[in-house]
Every structure is written in structure tokens, then in C-alpha cells.
Amino acid sequence: MRIVCIGGGPAGLYFALLMKKLDPAHRITVVERNRPYDTFGWGVVFSDATMDNMRAWDAETADAIEVAFNHWDDIELHFKGRCIRSGGHGFVGIGRKKLLNILQRRCEALGVELVFETDADSDADYPDADLVIASDGINSRIRQKYAEVFEPDIVTRPNRFIWLGTTRLFDAFNFLFEKTEHGWFQAHVYKFDDSTTTFIVETPEDVWRAHGLDQANVEQSIAFCEQLFASHLQGHRLLSNARHLDPLKRGSAWINFQRVRCRRWHHFNGRSHVVLMGDAVHTAHFAIGSGTKLALEDAIELTRLFKQAGGVEAIPAVLEKYQAAREVDVLRLQNAAWNAMEWFEVVGTRYCDQLPPEQFMYSMLTRSQRISHENLRLRDATWLEGYERWFARRAGVAVDGAARPPSPMFTPYTLRGMTVSNRVVVSPMAMYSATDGVPDDFHLVHFGARALGGAGLLYAEMTCVSPDARITPGCAGLWNDGQRDAWKRIVDFVHEHSSAKMGLQLGHAGRKGSTQLGWQRADEPLEAGNWPLLSASALPYGPTSQRPREMTRADMERITADFVAATQRAAAAGFDIVELHCAHGYLLSSFLSPLTNQRGDDYGGPVENRARWPLEVFAAIRAVWPEARPISVRLSCHDWFPGGNTAEDAVAIARLFKSAGADIIDCSSGQVVADQKPVYGRMYQTPFADRIRNEVGIPTVAVGAIFEADHVNMVIAAGRADLCALARPHLADPAWTLHEAAKIGFEGIAWPVQYLSGRSQYQANLRRAQA
Ligand SMILES: Cc1cc2nc3c(=O)[nH]c(=O)nc-3n(C[C@H](O)[C@H](O)[C@H](O)COP(=O)(O)OP(=O)(O)OC[C@H]3O[C@@H](n4cnc5c(N)ncnc54)[C@H](O)[C@@H]3O)c2cc1C
Ligand SMILES: Cc1cc2nc3c(=O)[nH]c(=O)nc-3n(C[C@H](O)[C@H](O)[C@H](O)COP(=O)(O)O)c2cc1C
């Protein structure tokens, strides 16, 4: 096979040598515009796992890298005068030059032709090639040439960074944070050979501009960073080897990260098959240090497929398989890198001034959301246990004598006069099983089972404030005393037989009312007996939905009074907390979203107006709800539809509810419009809880695809939320909390005494399965 690699970075060189090794008959050329020892950048980092993978494919290269690399396990945070260190992270650092030289030498030894100082203009310059590898980096000319085929999606990120080096040697991966009068800067620092350390300085665009760095040349930029990080540099200088940059050009040394992904990775140009590899087809932010890993793994996968399938005739099929195989892994890594990158983009405004150093460290270590709580335990059990102890102590648990501190999930939490014994909440879930709004034995057993199952707080389903406030005829209500007494029976059971607290979610269905039961045709009108609907504006939910009437001021007053009466009944029934349901497109939510609120009066328009009536309802229920009991507010923090509310609006709305006296925001999303396009995933709504908690300064509940103790621990420990609500896991397993405690070996949660022998067997079976 005749192969030409355009671009002699890690991707092009490694693929060339692997293919030459696979079959010495292949004629392979790598064309590189730089000179062999002339390269930008300092050190790159990859994990131990990447090294193992490389060793399996070419031991010589792996050996040479291993001799040259610096290995370290520790991560050290320098923040607000504190230094916190944790171990077990396993990185390999190597100079980019060194890495390329090793790959170049190995290419030469195997007989790959290396052509330096040649700027390849086009794939068409190599008409004899069966296969052209476009390994020409992030600004790939080949990708641009065939942009219509490859459909690149390039996003430029807001932070500015400069890639420097220093001779000060650090013995761990260091993260340094420094505050200036305009905001925070951070440095990512890692040693990569015996004399040099990479030193990347990063800050948001506005902070960068406020310091005039957009007007600074390379020298001035370096002087600024040296002064800012002087205490860490201990007299050493910062160095630039950005020879490709104009030293006098202002601002030029500071760049923005570009996230690249492509819909298609290969193309037949009429003579040769052209395929993208490495940064040309995907980039990963340095916050997770994996761009080189991805480039090397692309090379390995394509080689593996050629090894399986054979020569020239197999190229089209191999390239299809290559994209299919790599796309998934790359996306996973890009998502993790994206989380880590975003963490560094918002750290100055969201975490630096909010989180104490211990929690800041935890938040930083879990920034990609790939390293979980239990994974941290595997890496450094001592550090994690120290953190758990710190966390528990802050939550008021006496841990000094305890052999093992409770993990964050099992620490208590207090809102006003209500203390929950752990951070697990049974999320409100409509059961569509009430008759005339009265909860019955089904509800008693349903909540009873979940109270005995260990959750700290149970929310009753959306309970409606009037008959016409119901979603379906099966919805529970609280508009009469009979309903109050039926709820009281359930609340009393929960209080008498468990330590769980019991909450009630109060709501009005608005335009989503008068529909069929959840397991029938949900959201579709009743076949008979529909009642008229009200909403912020006269817009139906779906094509077959009833058109609601736009609410008048008199409607608002009547419904506010209904909420007040229901709240008074909830107090009498003994509920510990009330949640105002302002999410999911129901009545209050229909006011908050611009998609459903198109009013021209004081209750429509900007967010303050849209929130006006929901805030009036909140104030009215707060006035009659006992002072010592908290109120939560559930919001749809994103409408998942163009023109709708986004996380930024949710922050503004949460701020308004905080001013009105809300105690905690329950951060859900969507269900506001029928044609929403949510982006689902593990813990997918937690970023909203995180942002609101740390930007608004109000406690939050995270909810949505949280289904393991590890998730809850991660969220709570990192300060991304204060409680975690789980809905579907509690449908599958009423004793979810007890079971998860057993799985992570936590003994400090009480099982109902009647069930103790079940506990022993459950634990024994788990131990047996683990063994
Ligand atoms: C600040 C920073 C820190 C980073 N840190 C890490 C890290 O810690 N770990 C990590 O894994 N990755 C890191 N990366 C990313 C890493 O450098 C890249 O992901 C990796 O080098 C990709 O390899 P590649 O071969 O695809 O592209 P490149 O390394 O960019 O190589 C492309 C090559 O093609 C050549 N070229 C381009 N166009 C032409 C042309 N027309 N003709 C001839 N030659 C051409 C270029 O000169 C270059 O040598 C970092 C990146 C940055 C910016
Ligand atoms: C059967 C069912 C009924 C639900 N009813 C309500 C409800 O009454 N009020 C509410 O705010 N959310 C309701 N939800 C949404 C859940 O509270 C929760 O936000 C959502 O299911 C995501 O959490 P999960 O991934 O743990 O299931 C319901 C969910 C389910 C599965």
C-alpha cells in the first residue's frame, strides 16, 4: 500500500511506523512542514493506560518513551494559601519534542520516508497514494478543503491560555490559582523532563482584557505571569518557545481552545482515500490532557483494522469501521474533556470564592465527571477518608472516634427547623391513583415502603390545589378536609415508623391538565369529561391538546387563594416541607417560560415580569406556612427548545425566589413544550443545580438520572447540590437507600428493626458476590 501522512505530529508518525511494522512492503511517507527538531509546545501528558496500549503495539517505542518520560502520581492544589495533595492519579509526562523525536527515529529505523520542511498543499499532490492520512493538526488544511464532506463542527471556547515552560521543577501535577483585582487565573503545571516544566496559564476573556493582555506581546505576557505566580516560581523564569508566534504581535501568544469534531472522517478524492486522524478530526481540551492519547489511539485502531482486513481493496470498509469504532470512544473522552474545560472556564465565578479549599480540591478532581467518589478512594483512600471526615464534621457529625466516617450521602442536612438524616430524596412522582383527589391505601403503602427504605426525605406527588388543577382524574389533591385527613394518615405513618421527613409538592396543571392517566395516552385530552384549562397565554400544549384560556387577574387571585388553602391543609397534615411546582410546563411554569408566556401585561415580557405571579403565589404560601418549615421550588432550568429558558434564565429565576425566601431550589428541566429536544445522560440536570447553588448562593436539589450511591456522593461532596432526588430508582426499589448503603459497606444507617435479619443476609450475599 502507498501511504502518505500529511503532518508529522504524534498521529501521522505513529500510524506510519505501526503500518510499516505491520507490513514492511508498504511504502509510507510522512510530510512535515517543520524541521525535525523544531516544534511548538512543551510537555504532553497521558495516562498509564495509554502507555500499556502502546506497549502492546510497538514495545520499542514504548520502551524509548518510558526511558524519557516523567511519571508521577500526585496532584497538588495551591489555593488561598493552602496546599492540598492527593495521590494515585498515574500520569506520564514527556516533552513534545522528545516524543516526536522518538517517533521520528523509530519511523526511520523501520524505513518510513520522512520529508521535513515541506508544506503539503493538498492531498492531490500525492496522486500515487492509496491512502492519505490527514494528520495535519487542529487547523487541518485537508479538513478545510473537504469541509462539505467532513462537516466539521468547531466551537471556540471563551478562556484564553498561554503555553509556557519553566525551569522550576515540580514533583506533582500542580494546579495554581491566583486572584487579581479583575478575577482569577489558574496555571496547569507539570514537569516533563529533568530540567523543564510545562506551565499553562489560563483565564477568562474578560479578565484577560481587563489586564490589558490583549495589548501585550509575548514578553509582556510572560512578565505578567511571572509576577502573578512569583511565589510558586521561586525565582525561576517563565519561558516561551512559541517560535511560530510573532514575539511583537500583541495578544498573539494567548489562544482560545477550539473543540473540533467531524460528522464524516474519510473521503475518496477520485484517486486516493483520504482519512482524518488526531487533532484534525477531534480535539480534547488540555484540562484532561488527552489530545495526544486520542491521536495515538486513532493510529492504533486504524492499524488494527488493516491488520484484520488486509490491503488496498479493503480500504473503504476499513475506513468505515475506523470511524465507527473511534467515534464512540472519542465522544466519550470529548464529553469528559468538555466538563473539565467548562470547570476551568467558570471556576473563577462559580467555585473559587464559594468553596472552601478542601471542597474546591474535591470539585477539581471530579471536574470531568469521570472520576467518581469510589474511584477517588481507589486512587488515594487516605485523602478521601480525610475529606469525608472533614465533610461529616461540617455537617455536624461527630467523627473523631469513628473508624469510618459516613460518606457525604449519609450526612444530615438542615433547612430551617427540618433536619433530614441523609441526602437522598424520593422525587415527586404522580401515581395517578387517587379518587377525587383523595390518596388511599395504595399511597399509604407506596410512601410507607419508601419511608422504611431509608431515604431521608420523601416528596408526595404533585398534589393539586383544586379539581380543575389536576393533570388527570387520578391526581391527588388538597382542596378539602377529607384529602387533608387522608394525607395526615400517610404523614403520621412515615413519622411514626421511620426517620424520614415528608414533603408535599403543590401544583396546578395549567394547560397540561384534563389529560389521560400516565400509562394511558399521557398528555392527550380525556376521551370524555374534559374540564376547561387556564394558562399564562392561550397556547395549547400539543396539536391535539385543548386550547387554554389566558388567565385574568381575577383567575390569579382565585388560584393564589387555592394555593394558600392547600398550604394551610398541608401544615395541618404535618408535612415537613412544601415544594411549589414551578416546572414541567404546568401553570406556574407556563408563566416562567417565554415559550408559553406571551402576555403583554405586567406578567409577561422580561423574566422579572414572567416570575411576578409565581412569586406572588410563593409569598402567599410562605405567609401561612409555619416559620420553622422550609419551602422548596422546583424549576425547569432549561426548556430544551430555541427561544426558551436556559440555565442563565434559571439562575435569574432562582435569584428571585431566593429573595422571596425560598429555602432550596429543586433543579429539574424540560417538559415545557411538546417538541423539546433534551440532552439526556447520566446526572444530566446536575449542572443546573451546581450553577444555581454556586452562583446564586442557595441550596439546591439535583435530580435526573442519578442512580448509584457513587453519583449521590460525587454530587454532594463536590458541592454541586445539597440533596439528590431520585425518582425511577425508587419505583424499582423502595429500599434503594438501604441497599446502596450496604453496597458501599456503610453500616451507619438504621434498618427497620423488623427487617434486621434481611439486612444480614443481604450484606452476606453482597460480600459473597464481591468475593
Ligand atoms: C496548551 C496545550 C496543552 C496540551 N497538553 C496536552 C497534554 O497534556 N496531553 C495531550 O495528550 N495532549 C495535549 N495537547 C494536545 C496535543 O498537543 C495534540 O492533541 C496532539 O499533538 C495531536 O496530535 P496530532 O498529530 O493530531 O496533531 P499535531 O501534534 O498538531 O501535529 C500536526 C502536525 O502537522 C504539521 N502540519 C500541519 N499542516 C501541515 C501541512 N500542510 N504540511 C505539512 N505539515 C503540516 C504540523 O506542523 C504538525 O507537526 C495540548 C495542546 C495544547 C494546545
Ligand atoms: C412516574 C413518574 C411521575 C412523575 N411525577 C412527577 C411529579 O408529580 N412532579 C414532578 O415534579 N416530577 C415528576 N416526575 C419527575 C421526577 O420527579 C424526576 O424529576 C424525573 O423522573 C427524573 O428523575 P429520575 O431520573 O431519577 O427518574 C415524575 C417521574 C416519574 C417517573
Coordinates of all heavy atoms in Angstrom, one line a residue, residues 166 225 273 318 322 491 541 573:
T166 N 9.0 26.4 32.3 CA 9.8 27.0 33.4 C 10.9 25.9 33.8 O 10.7 24.7 33.6 CB 9.1 27.4 34.6 OG1 10.0 27.9 35.6 CG2 8.2 26.3 35.2
C225 N 2.8 37.0 33.9 CA 2.6 35.7 34.5 C 3.6 35.5 35.6 O 3.4 34.9 36.6 CB 2.6 34.6 33.5 SG 1.2 34.7 32.3
H273 N -7.9 7.4 -1.0 CA -8.8 7.5 0.1 C -8.1 8.5 1.1 O -6.9 8.3 1.5 CB -9.0 6.2 0.8 CG -9.8 5.3 -0.1 ND1 -11.2 5.3 -0.2 CD2 -9.4 4.4 -1.0 CE1 -11.6 4.4 -1.1 NE2 -10.5 3.8 -1.6
V318 N -12.4 -0.6 5.8 CA -11.6 -0.3 7.0 C -11.9 1.1 7.5 O -12.1 1.3 8.7 CB -10.1 -0.5 6.7 CG1 -9.3 0.1 7.7 CG2 -9.8 -2.0 6.6
Y322 N -13.2 2.2 11.0 CA -12.4 3.1 11.8 C -13.2 4.2 12.4 O -13.2 4.4 13.6 CB -11.3 3.6 10.9 CG -10.5 4.8 11.4 CD1 -9.7 4.8 12.5 CD2 -10.7 6.1 10.8 CE1 -9.0 5.9 12.9 CE2 -10.0 7.2 11.2 CZ -9.2 7.1 12.2 OH -8.5 8.2 12.6
V491 N -48.7 10.8 56.4 CA -47.6 11.5 57.0 C -47.3 10.9 58.4 O -46.2 10.7 58.8 CB -47.9 13.0 57.1 CG1 -46.8 13.8 57.8 CG2 -48.1 13.6 55.7
Y541 N -50.8 22.9 24.4 CA -49.6 22.2 24.6 C -49.1 21.4 23.4 O -48.0 21.6 22.9 CB -49.7 21.2 25.8 CG -48.5 20.4 26.1 CD1 -47.3 21.0 26.5 CD2 -48.5 19.0 25.9 CE1 -46.2 20.2 26.7 CE2 -47.4 18.3 26.1 CZ -46.2 18.9 26.5 OH -45.1 18.1 26.8
A573 N -51.7 18.7 58.0 CA -51.5 17.3 57.8 C -50.1 16.9 58.3 O -49.8 15.7 58.4 CB -51.6 16.9 56.3

